[in-house]
């Protein structure tokens, strides 16, 4: 874009809190291009100052390849995993990236077409087979993908990349080389696991999966013990000792709920059974019907939302809590306070949004069509729910049980012996100028499961994130980093070595610059003031990604 166009963008954005549609079209399309890998680390150009105390690797994951031969994926979630590494040492930064050599990637590459089905794309039968063989192939049980393009996770000191099937891939966090495929079902009786585990302060890891059989459909909570200090470390995956500590039966066995993550406090795990439903019958037949996994999910608000509270030490399921229909992908934090569990989440009121991020919708050629699509999406906003922990038959009915000061959330015991909750909006009207928020992060190591004050997130002024936000949950005040035409990734907090306060440190985010090719940069913000300290410019075009972590030992 010409300088005069950029000035017009900035003026229009200031006055209207959004971008001109023709500009949006120019900028969004490059976010969804296929990337190229950079396996050998390359230097970056530093502007400003990268604090010398930052020493480690910022690891990012996300979809990075959207076609093989003439075949194209349908949904943004389907792209092949492209891993990125920004290594920071003594104020300088290098960059490298690699495609995950999953079975899905290798098979697709060998045959130069899509042969493994993904979330929104069904692989078609081999055209080289005869008609009868192609027909019979529709009745074969589809194998889950190992295209782990969602997140980097850690078990017993090893890094893995993960998606939402039963497969993960162990990876080398230094070289990004792909190691062995790991099947959860070989360790515990589950059919999948999330890409958002939680870690306790003793070194154990918790995750959620599911299982189904003659007895119905169950949501399962998994615990993986810490690595044994005295044991000799072998270069192989180790999930030994993994155990299911709790199984929660689905409210509707033939229509279990979709979930992306869960929340954990010092003593509890909360699973949100939301009304995004998976039709089990369609799931069994989806390959025969030629429909993708995305098509068997449906938003069914008549079921409402159920919070399952589990004691993470005993596995005991506590009282069942209900609230109005809503959906959540990412929770912010949860902590216990004087007999209550305070739970903060990013929530929306229409779960159909998950299936709407098709590449067709995101690559609209008309500004009006793209704007219509954006306006059809619900805004995800931060909410607070408060769960009273001491509820029994003596607890009074239809009386607000929440007695925390300055709290607008409510919880009432109902005649059914359950508790019905209403939420508190964890924001003021200023946030609406930035279109809601997602991808929340906190000072996890020190404050996850504990009372906290700040979280960091992406603001969504249009289809993709176009701002970084810092929210004060005490005052609901915002700090904002936003520049027209720049698209940030999920912000990740890194504490300074001498941190005395919760926000002493930096926030890292990868900024995509579609108006200028091969100029992506790593942004470093002062977490306290939310002002830029420095940036490391990379001569590479990077597609929009999903999640990342900071590896301090990198």
């Amino acid at each position: 874009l010409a300088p005069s166009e950029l000035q017009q963008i900035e003026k229009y954005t200031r006055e209207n809190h959004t971008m001109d549609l023709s500009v949006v079209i120019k900028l969004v399309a490059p976010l969804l291009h296929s990337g190229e890998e950079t396996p050998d680390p390359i230097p970056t150009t530093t502007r400003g100052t990268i604090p010398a105390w930052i020493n480690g690797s910022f690891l990012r994951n996300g979809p990075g390849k959207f076609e093989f031969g003439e075949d194209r994926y349908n949904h943004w979630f389907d792209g092949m995993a492209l891993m990125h590494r920004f290594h920071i040492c003594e104020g300088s930064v290098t960059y490298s990236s690699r495609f995950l050599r999953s079975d899905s990637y290798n098979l697709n590459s060998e045959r130069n077409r899509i042969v493994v089905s993904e979330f929104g794309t069904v692989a078609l039968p081999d055209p080289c087979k005869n008609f009868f063989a192609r027909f019979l192939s529709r009745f074969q049980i589809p194998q889950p993908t190992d295209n782990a393009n969602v997140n980097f996770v850690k078990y017993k000191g090893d890094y893995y990349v993960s998606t939402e099937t039963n497969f993960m891939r162990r990876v080398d966090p230094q070289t990004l080389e792909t190691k062995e495929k790991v099947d959860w079902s070989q360790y515990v009786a589950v059919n999948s696991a999330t890409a958002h585990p939680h870690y306790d302060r003793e070194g154990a890891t918790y995750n959620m999966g599911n299982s189904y059989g003659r007895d119905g459909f169950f949501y399962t909570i998994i615990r993986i013990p810490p690595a044994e200090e005295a044991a000799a470390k072998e270069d192989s995956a180790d999930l030994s000792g993994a155990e299911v500590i709790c199984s929660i039966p689905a409210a509707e066995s033939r229509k279990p709920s979709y979930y992306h993550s869960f929340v954990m406090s010092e003593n509890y795990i909360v699973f949100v059974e939301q009304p995004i439903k998976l039709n089990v019958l369609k799931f069994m037949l989806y390959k025969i019907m030629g429909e993708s996994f995305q098509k068997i999910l449906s938003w069914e608000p008549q079921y409402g939302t159920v919070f399952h509270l589990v004691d993470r030490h005993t596995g005991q399921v506590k009282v069942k809590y209900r609230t109005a229909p809503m959906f959540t992908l990412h929770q912010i934090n949860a902590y216990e306070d004087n007999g209550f569990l305070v739970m903060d989440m990013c929530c929306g009121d229409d779960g159909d949004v998950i299936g709407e991020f098709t590449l067709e919708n995101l690559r609209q050629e008309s500004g009006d069509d793209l704007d219509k699509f954006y306006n059809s999406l619900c805004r995800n906003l931060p909410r607070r729910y408060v769960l009273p922990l001491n509820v029994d038959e003596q607890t009074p009915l239809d009386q607000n049980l929440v007695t925390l000061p300055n709290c607008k959330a409510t919880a009432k015991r109902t005649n059914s012996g359950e508790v019905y909750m209403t939420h508190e909006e964890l924001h003021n009207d200023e946030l609406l100028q930035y279109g809601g928020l997602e991808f929340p992060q906190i000072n996890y190591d020190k404050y996850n499961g504990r009372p906290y004050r700040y979280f960091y997130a992406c603001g969504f002024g249009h289809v993709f994130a176009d701002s970084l936000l810092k929210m004060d949950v005490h005052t609901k005040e915002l700090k904002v980093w936003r520049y027209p035409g720049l698209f940030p990734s999920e912000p990740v907090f890194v504490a300074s070595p001498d941190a005395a306060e919760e926000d002493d440190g930096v926030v890292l985010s990868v900024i995509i610059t579609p108006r200028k090719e091969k100029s992506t940069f790593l942004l470093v913000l002062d977490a306290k003031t939310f002002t830029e300290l420095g940036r490391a410019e990379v001569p590479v075009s990077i597609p929009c990604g999903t999640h990342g972590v900071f590896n301090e030992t990198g």
Side-chain angles (χ1 to χ4, degrees), residues 117-314:
S117 296
E118 300 291 341
F119 175 78
T121 305
V122 174
L124 297 177
D126 188 344
C128 296
K129 292 182 178 179
N130 61 40
F131 172 81
F132 187 65
R134 293 201 302 273
F135 175 74
L136 287 181
S137 70
R138 290 190 177 273
F139 294 89
Q140 296 173 352
I141 298 175
Q143 292 299 309
T145 181
D146 65 337
N147 175 35
N149 64 1
V150 177
N151 204 0
F152 279 85
V153 297
K154 201 172 184 180
Y155 297 101
K156 295 190 176 184
D158 284 334
Y159 274 98
Y160 300 77
V161 285
S162 180
T163 181
E164 296 184 328
T165 69
N166 56 307
F167 293 125
M168 298 187 298
R169 280 282 184 167
R170 195 165 68 97
V171 295
D172 186 322
Q174 308 265 357
T175 65
L176 301 181
E177 291 179 350
T178 303
K179 294 182 176 289
E180 69 268 38
K181 181 166 73 171
V182 179
D183 183 350
W184 273 105
S185 66
Q186 300 301 307
Y187 294 89
V188 284
V190 297
N191 300 303
S192 69
T194 80
H196 291 287
H198 278 287
Y199 311 95
D200 69 18
R201 288 170 177 83
E202 290 71 47
T205 307
Y206 294 78
N207 207 337
M208 282 205 63
N210 62 62
S211 62
Y212 49 87
R214 292 180 180 178
D215 296 330
F217 191 104
F218 294 86
Y219 312 106
T220 53
I221 298 173
I222 310 161
R223 180 183 183 272
I224 299 88
E228 297 180 12
E229 294 184 7
K233 180 62 178 172
E234 297 182 2
D235 187 22
S236 61
D238 179 15
L239 297 182
S240 60
E243 61 178 338
V244 172
I245 64 171
C246 180
S247 293
I248 303 167
E252 294 287 334
S253 191
R254 294 185 179 181
K255 284 189 175 181
S257 294
Y258 169 79
Y259 57 93
H260 184 70
S261 58
F262 63 102
V263 74
M264 187 173 82
S265 70
E266 293 272 28
N267 296 296
Y268 298 97
I269 286 173
V270 181
F271 165 62
V272 179
E273 191 173 14
Q274 57 192 353
I276 302 177
K277 295 297 184 177
L278 185 155
N279 188 307
V280 172
L281 179 60
K282 287 185 178 180
F283 174 71
M284 296 170 66
L285 300 175
Y286 82 89
K287 188 173 182 182
I288 299 173
M289 298 166 63
E291 292 187 347
S292 65
F293 185 83
Q294 164 206 343
K295 297 294 186 181
I296 66 176
L297 294 176
S298 59
W299 172 243
E300 302 192 31
Q302 69 272 20
Y303 288 106
T305 306
V306 181
F307 288 52
H308 298 276
L309 179 70
V310 180
D311 185 314
R312 74 176 178 92
H313 305 295
T314 66

